[in-house]
Amino acid sequence: MTSLDVLRNASALASYSVLLQVMFRVLTFLLNGFTLRFVSKELIGVVNVRLTLLYSTLVFLSREAFRRACLSGVSGTSYSWRQAINLLWLTLPLGMLWAALLASVWLFLLEQPDPQSVPYYGVAVVLFGLSGVQELLSEPFWALAQAHMLVRLKVVTESLAMIAKCIVTVVLVVFARDWGLYIFSAAHLVYTGLLVLCYAGYFIRFLGSEEASKKNFPLHSAGELLPRRADGEPMIDWALARLTWSFFKQSFLKQILTEGERYVMTFFNVLSFGDQGVYDIVSNLGSMVARFVFLPIEESFYIFFAKVLVRGRDVKSQKQEEVAIAAEVLECLLKLVLVIGLIITVFGYAYSQLALDIYGGSLLSSWAGPTLLRCYSSYVLLLAVNGVTECFVFAAMSHKEVDKYNFVMLALSVSFLFLSYILTWWAGAVGLILANCLNMGLRILHSLLYIYRYFQPSQWKPLRGLLPSPFVLLTLGISGAVTAQSEVIFCCDRGWLLRLAHIGVGAACLLIVVVVILLTETRLIQFVRTRLLPRYTKKRT
């Protein structure tokens, strides 16, 4: 498979993943808005912060290192996939170990919520841990699907699981409200169970079929999905295992940075359960675009960079045509996410209060919600740039460089926790976002320095992607000033007619910004049309 084929497949995967994430976030958005009207904010705080943190910590620490190592370490042959699958199955016992350890901490060391307002906490901790272990059963299937660009499988599987979770939640919230945390525990078990069933069912049917033979799939029967020894070879490729260990040490630190505010809220009790619930809803709303646009792009193009570039080699030791494509893609991706992030930051300032008032009423808009959402709009800009820079850096780093970066992550993790604790006492929930911004800025600086040094001996300068057109920047600045004044005049407690006027002003400004981007960023538009939206391009041609 040539680098252009890999790029085409990665672009298709990114496009479909974006659509999938859009659906997920919209469903979650609607589900949170619905449950806000039936359950207490304390219950939402425990579910969305504490129990979700338990689940995400368990799953991330159990599988993230294995995913990164196996996706970049296998060559696509039957032999390498045999050992990769054996390695991936180790996520299950590791997950059981993490489940037992984390559940003990959540049950015996952390402050317990009031059983009157948040019933069945102990059982919910066990069930959320069980759902995490259950999801790890799908790891070998997920890795095969991701590496071989089985986009439709991922979309259908995760869509069915998410829809089922939403249906179970809505039905139980309406008809069994007294179940408390049982509602969300049952919904989560349904979600992870369906993921495993769909992935396993597909590969049991697919392997050994004519379609698998035509695609030269590395496995030939369902039995090969289980761990087994290849004749005359060790069970595990130890080079791959060492790479996994390097990523594992890094993943522990990355999890602290990713979920740092939840750890601070959970372990230091800086906010009440009710305030945690409101903060989590606001932060999820603020980071929605980052999750369903930037994260799929990061995941898909990490695979592209990992397959196009040889890990650990400098730029002169790489195939120059591969480096040229990688540099072009990196430059365009940087400009794309930066432009999107700037739009979110500019328009997020003037429309935060209106969005929260429509979504959750006075429960969200009368608290510090609007200020939180405005801060998050700026934080999204940093998330956008960091996602692209780190996906390149992690794909290009050698094993030794990955180990060295672990020390950087350690320093960032310690400083983040310290800053979060101090800034939260000083500025409340806003302090958590400020701490995130400072640490994200340091991560971006490290990645930019690595990229600069990597391409310095070559003719390519992908960091030029961080410089949008001056006309785009000017239009965004004017739009920010106009929409901010519009909020003062029309919003947000003066009736729906004036609110619609405020929305109209924003829509007009956004349209002008888009037109300026189309006219001035022609190379970026060409990249989006030909790389990120290949299906759209085919229809046009």
Side-chain angles (χ1 to χ4, degrees):
M1 185 180 291
T2 66
S3 59
L4 288 175
D5 292 329
V6 174
L7 175 57
R8 191 177 300 111
N9 289 334
S11 299
L13 181 59
S15 301
Y16 281 114
S17 296
V18 167
L19 294 176
L20 183 64
Q21 290 295 327
V22 168
M23 188 197 73
F24 278 12
R25 299 307 162 187
V26 168
L27 285 175
T28 304
F29 175 79
L30 296 175
L31 187 63
N32 282 336
F34 177 81
T35 54
L36 269 174
R37 289 156 174 78
F38 287 87
V39 300
S40 66
K41 62 180 182 180
E42 287 76 17
L43 188 67
I44 291 178
V46 172
V47 172
N48 288 359
V49 176
R50 181 168 290 193
L51 294 179
T52 300
L53 180 64
L54 168 66
Y55 163 79
S56 65
T57 302
L58 189 164
V59 171
F60 190 91
L61 295 181
S62 300
R63 75 185 183 190
E64 177 68 12
F66 292 87
R67 284 185 169 187
R68 284 192 174 274
C70 289
L71 286 177
S72 61
V74 296
S75 62
T77 65
S78 177
Y79 164 71
S80 61
W81 268 112
R82 172 72 273 139
Q83 292 186 319
I85 288 175
N86 291 341
L87 188 65
L88 285 165
W89 276 111
L90 293 179
T91 59
L92 187 60
L94 182 61
M96 293 178 179
L97 180 62
W98 279 117
L101 178 62
L102 294 173
S104 299
V105 172
W106 258 243
L107 288 173
F108 304 115
L109 297 183
L110 298 181
E111 178 190 2
Q112 304 291 300
D114 181 9
Q116 297 298 321
S117 58
V118 186
Y120 313 119
Y121 171 75
V123 178
V125 167
V126 175
L127 293 179
F128 265 78
L130 179 61
S131 70
V133 174
Q134 181 174 249
E135 185 171 345
L136 295 175
L137 290 169
S138 66
E139 276 311 290
F141 314 126
W142 181 93
L144 282 167
Q146 192 80 355
H148 293 88
M149 306 293 179
L150 300 178
V151 180
R152 185 177 301 176
L153 171 62
K154 178 180 178 180
V155 171
V156 172
T157 297
E158 297 190 14
S159 299
L160 289 175
M162 187 64 186
I163 291 171
K165 176 184 177 180
C166 291
I167 292 174
V168 171
T169 303
V170 169
V171 170
L172 293 181
V173 163
V174 173
F175 297 105
R177 203 177 309 172
D178 294 338
W179 285 21
L181 292 176
Y182 281 150
I183 296 172
F184 303 94
S185 303
H188 216 70
L189 283 169
V190 168
Y191 172 75
T192 57
L194 262 179
L195 283 178
V196 175
L197 288 176
C198 290
Y199 274 120
Y202 174 85
F203 280 107
I204 290 173
R205 182 196 63 82
F206 175 73
L207 294 178
S209 65
E210 293 184 5
E211 183 183 358
S213 300
K214 291 178 180 178
K215 293 183 176 181
N216 295 320
F217 208 75
L219 305 183
H220 304 96
S221 67
E224 294 183 55
L225 293 168
L226 299 175
R228 60 167 63 177
R229 182 189 296 273
D231 294 337
E233 301 292 345
M235 285 282 289
I236 293 173
D237 184 339
W238 291 107
L240 198 60
R242 286 191 293 272
L243 178 60
T244 303
W245 174 242
S246 296
F247 278 126
F248 177 78
K249 290 183 289 185
Q250 185 185 103
S251 66
F252 184 81
L253 300 173
K254 186 176 180 180
Q255 174 66 6
I256 294 177
L257 292 173
T258 303
E259 301 281 7
E261 67 271 12
R262 284 191 171 93
Y263 287 115
V264 171
M265 288 188 288
T266 297
F267 287 93
F268 296 110
N269 300 318
V270 292
L271 298 175
S272 67
F273 287 116
D275 289 344
Q276 288 179 29
V278 176
Y279 171 82
D280 184 74
I281 292 171
V282 171
S283 62
N284 279 333
L285 179 61
S287 62
M288 184 182 296
V289 176
R291 292 174 184 271
F292 68 62
V293 174
F294 301 135
L295 184 59
I297 290 176
E298 176 187 351
E299 290 177 347
S300 300
F301 282 93
Y302 170 77
I303 298 174
F304 164 72
F305 289 127
K307 289 190 174 183
V308 168
L309 300 176
V310 179
R311 180 182 295 278
R313 290 187 184 178
D314 60 37
V315 69
K316 291 185 177 180
S317 302
Q318 306 277 355
K319 292 181 180 180
Q320 294 306 294
E321 60 271 19
E322 310 282 13
V323 175
I325 294 175
E328 178 190 2
V329 170
L330 178 59
E331 180 179 347
C332 291
L333 280 179
L334 283 172
K335 182 165 291 187
L336 174 64
V337 298
L338 185 66
V339 168
I340 295 175
L342 286 171
I343 291 174
I344 294 170
T345 300
V346 168
F347 288 91
Y349 181 86
Y351 290 88
S352 293
Q353 185 176 354
L354 178 60
L356 291 176
D357 193 59
I358 294 173
Y359 180 57
S362 59
L363 177 66
L364 299 180
S365 62
S366 62
W367 189 63
T371 303
L372 280 175
L373 193 53
R374 290 184 179 110
C375 292
Y376 238 102
S377 298
S378 301
Y379 178 52
V380 166
L381 177 61
L382 298 176
L383 283 174
V385 176
N386 181 72
V388 172
T389 55
E390 282 197 347
C391 87
F392 176 86
V393 169
F394 290 152
M397 276 183 173
S398 66
H399 298 177
K400 290 183 179 179
E401 287 173 326
V402 172
D403 284 333
K404 289 181 180 179
Y405 187 60
N406 290 335
F407 292 102
V408 177
M409 296 287 279
L410 177 61
L412 289 173
S413 301
V414 173
S415 65
F416 172 74
L417 293 177
F418 176 76
L419 285 172
S420 296
Y421 183 76
I422 297 299
L423 292 176
T424 302
W425 282 114
W426 173 62
V430 174
L432 292 173
I433 303 176
L434 295 177
N436 270 306
C437 289
L438 291 173
N439 274 271
M440 194 62 67
L442 292 174
R443 288 170 64 178
I444 291 172
L445 179 61
H446 175 274
S447 297
L448 291 179
L449 290 174
Y450 181 92
I451 294 170
Y452 174 77
R453 290 193 296 265
Y454 184 88
F455 284 101
Q456 190 175 18
S458 71
Q459 60 181 311
W460 297 285
K461 308 297 178 186
L463 294 183
R464 289 178 300 184
L466 287 172
L467 298 174
S469 163
F471 294 103
V472 173
L473 295 177
L474 178 61
T475 307
L476 285 170
I478 295 173
S479 297
V482 170
T483 52
Q485 188 62 32
S486 172
E487 182 183 31
V488 173
I489 297 173
F490 298 121
C491 197
C492 281
D493 55 354
R494 302 178 184 180
W496 272 104
L497 188 61
L498 292 180
R499 290 184 182 185
L500 290 174
H502 181 45
I503 294 173
V505 171
C509 290
L510 180 59
L511 179 61
I512 294 173
V513 170
V514 171
V515 170
V516 172
I517 292 172
L518 291 174
L519 294 176
T520 60
E521 298 288 357
T522 53
R523 186 183 177 195
L524 175 62
I525 301 305
Q526 181 69 13
F527 171 79
V528 172
R529 291 179 58 187
T530 58
R531 304 303 188 195
L532 287 181
L533 301 174
R535 292 174 63 89
Y536 171 77
T537 304
K538 289 179 182 178
K539 290 178 182 179
R540 289 289 298 266
T541 58

